[in-house]
Amino acid sequence: MTILQELAALYDARAVEKGWPRPGFSTEKIGGVVVLAEDGAVREIRSLMTPDAKGKMQARSMSVPAAIKRTAGVKPNTFWDKTAYVLGVTETPEGPGQGRRTEAEHEAFKTAHLSLTEGQTESALVALKRFCEAWTPDRFAEFPDAAILVDQNIVFRLEDGPFLHDLPAAQALLGQAAAGGTMCLVSGRAGPVARLHPSIKGVMGAQSSGASLVSFNNDAETSHGKKQGDNAPVSEAAAFAYGTALNALLARGSGNTLRIGGDTVVFWADQPEAEWTLNAMISGTDDEAAERELRARVQAVASGSAREEEKLDPEARLFILGLAPNAARLAVRYWHPGTLGNFAVAVTRFWEDMTIEPSPFIKGGVELPPKLWALLYDVAPQHDAGNIPAGLGGDLMRAVLTGGRYPATWLAALMRRIRVEGEPDRARHGNVDGRRAATIAAILRRNHQQEVPMALDQEAQDAAYLLGRLFGAYVYAEKSYQERGAGLRQKYIGAASATPARVFPVLMRGYEHNLASLRKAGGQKAGAGIKADRAVAGIIDRLNGDMPATLPLEAQGRFFIGFYHQISAFYTKAEDAAEALIDDTDSEGGAE
């Protein structure tokens, strides 16, 4: 119940400030309003929709009496609903009309509101009663401009007065709670028990109409006569509070949600500055100066050396909730309450794990913190979020938050993409090689306690790292001579990293051909050949004949890091090629 308690507490703390719906109400998308005359006649069916940034018409978010949870059957909302209920009209192949259930839905709406408004004297409620008595769906054709509102949610008003559901007389009819009740497991106070918990919207992959975080509907959940909400009694007030708060956090544009792999991550803090920092740490910003400032602030908090002007409180409480769809329910992938100080320590450790040179995270001369969600695209075929391995995002987020081991599937997925993809499209996806090398380094450092070179280590003795460097030199020589549609990298990087003893003799023969061609070409190509030959000679000398038959997965990771370091070193300074041309007497004869 801790999750529900913290969400209910968030509602209590922010409901007034944020304008969240009051108890008994919910925020819904409302497309139009039926304007009534005092005799119940429809004056107008007016659109409330407005264009968004792209010019597309969008319904207005409005606080209305809480939506009925329609799991099955016909159940109308109070004082509002979609046009099928309110007007008896829905979209059909022939245009606005009545579908299979529309008549029953409209009759249910009229019956409920005739009963609700019986004996009322307030003019707007009397007008609604007369509307329910007189309206027939065929009259919708008298309002041709309202055709765009079919299947939108509709509210009422009398003439140009307030919306009907906002009138004190209407609110007096809503949600009159019964006295007494059962002890609530969330608040600890007695109250009427919520039979059905609120629907939660905004979780990627879940039903668009909403899914339940808490629900009971199986025979196994009815022991001792406890049905539905009686299994774990939560009061209507607490259920409303946690549902409203969670829906507000999940709403588009809230700044409190992020998608990582297949999970929807919700986060919040009890202090505004801490919440902004948490948001920026997880999501990142588009401003390079802000990213630099963020890195400095987080590192200062993590080290306990906050600057004098710093407003961040290391003891600020943070909450991170990972949700995923699970049929008609939501699954909690992880729940991590903590403090800003502890979270800063965990995040900076993740940043340190990902350190590599040259850094793939530099933009505009500023080194930006690696973004967890962005790294997952590098293991997805076609860099499509839908192809990210199931569960990887949640496992990875949990590892970062807790300081635990990174998921073993992460390294396997990376190496599989490297083998299959060959050479990534840098123009479309940026420095994919660098990000993958940094990720592999992070996994080897944390999971396997291996020392991974930060930058090119020409003194390294590890065979896998040296073979990766050697492969990089071969690829560089080939590219320097002639760009091919499918070169060494595309054809051999997978086999070279897995079974080097079988592949490298073949690569060596191809390299000698490319080297001879570079020497004959002269100019810059000859300089490139000299650079490659010097590197190859030094690497082979350090290998000292060590050519493993196979390399395990972790060693394949070191192979790719060596490849990244070596190929990057070749392209670091353009003047290196010119320098190589000054004296090439030591390079005659090539590598042995």
Side-chain angles (χ1 to χ4, degrees), residues 383-430:
H383 284 253
D384 184 340
N387 295 328
I388 295 172
L392 180 58
D395 294 341
L396 186 52
M397 188 72 174
R398 190 181 298 107
V400 172
L401 294 175
T402 63
R405 290 167 59 88
Y406 296 120
T409 53
W410 200 15
L411 178 58
L414 278 165
M415 297 311 302
R416 182 164 56 250
R417 290 315 308 156
I418 289 169
R419 288 194 293 270
V420 171
E421 198 170 281
E423 188 161 4
D425 187 345
R426 183 160 181 158
R428 292 181 60 194
H429 306 301

Side-chain angles (χ1 to χ4, degrees), residues 82-244:
K82 60 183 181 178
T83 57
Y85 278 88
V86 173
L87 300 171
V89 175
T90 189
E91 190 63 48
T92 70
E94 293 75 30
Q98 289 200 326
R100 183 170 55 87
R101 288 169 35 121
T102 314
E103 183 177 356
E105 291 170 341
H106 184 49
E107 285 301 319
F109 183 86
K110 290 196 299 182
T111 300
H113 286 80
L114 285 170
S115 175
L116 186 66
T117 57
E118 183 67 34
Q120 297 298 311
T121 58
E122 207 283 333
S123 56
L125 294 176
V126 172
L128 177 61
K129 181 176 183 296
R130 290 173 177 169
F131 163 83
C132 291
E133 292 171 338
W135 173 264
T136 56
D138 58 349
R139 294 196 59 197
F140 185 79
E142 299 172 15
F143 304 90
D145 292 342
I148 62 170
L149 300 177
V150 172
D151 292 333
Q152 292 287 335
N153 289 324
I154 302 293
V155 293
F156 292 90
R157 71 173 5 141
L158 177 61
E159 302 292 353
D160 287 327
F163 294 117
L164 191 148
H165 61 267
D166 286 332
L167 295 172
Q171 294 185 19
L173 298 175
L174 298 170
Q176 298 175 351
T182 305
M183 181 70 73
C184 173
L185 296 180
V186 174
S187 66
R189 297 187 291 269
V193 173
R195 189 177 68 88
L196 297 176
H197 284 242
S199 293
I200 307 301
K201 301 177 182 179
V203 175
M204 180 180 64
Q207 295 178 356
S208 59
S209 59
S212 295
L213 186 61
V214 179
S215 68
F216 306 90
N217 65 345
N218 297 314
D219 290 342
E221 296 154 359
T222 60
S223 57
H224 304 288
K226 302 293 187 181
K227 295 183 179 181
Q228 294 182 321
D230 290 333
N231 278 270
V234 174
S235 68
E236 292 178 354
F240 170 81
Y242 90 72
T244 301

Side-chain angles (χ1 to χ4, degrees), residues 327-338:
R329 296 179 176 83
L330 298 178
V332 176
R333 296 281 287 123
Y334 44 86
W335 164 242
H336 188 79

